[in-house]
Amino acid sequence: TVVGHTDNVGNALDNHKIGLDFARQMRWYLIAKGGIAKEKVVAISEGESQAIASNNTEKGRRLNQRIELKFSLD
């Protein structure tokens, strides 16, 4: 699972879409360049809901704009 995250600049709906766009780009890369079967990779967005740093600073906002990869051994 590829999870896209954003900072809280802008509205929550737009941030959810931006996070999903990030995740979809990474999903495409893993499929096209990494040779992973497309049915094994899912892209989702958490938008601005799971901040790992303060959104009050530039550094914090950059840290919140991230992609996480979650693996399962199914």
Side-chain angles (χ1 to χ4, degrees):
T1 303
V2 183
V3 185
H5 298 271
T6 66
D7 58 24
N8 70 349
V9 175
N11 69 57
L13 188 59
D14 288 343
N15 286 335
H16 187 271
K17 183 185 177 314
I18 290 167
L20 188 56
D21 290 343
F22 290 162
R24 284 178 174 162
Q25 289 173 11
M26 178 57 73
R27 179 182 183 270
W28 172 86
Y29 185 85
L30 292 171
I31 292 165
K33 304 291 184 178
I36 299 173
K38 65 182 178 181
E39 59 274 357
K40 292 189 176 205
V41 185
V42 177
I44 64 171
S45 175
E46 293 294 343
E48 61 189 48
S49 68
Q50 295 184 1
I52 59 171
S54 170
N55 281 301
N56 295 327
T57 66
E58 178 83 21
K59 182 179 180 183
R61 288 188 295 275
R62 281 194 317 260
L63 289 170
N64 289 329
Q65 297 170 358
R66 68 194 189 280
I67 296 172
E68 294 179 341
L69 298 176
K70 295 184 178 184
F71 298 89
S72 64
L73 301 173
D74 293 339

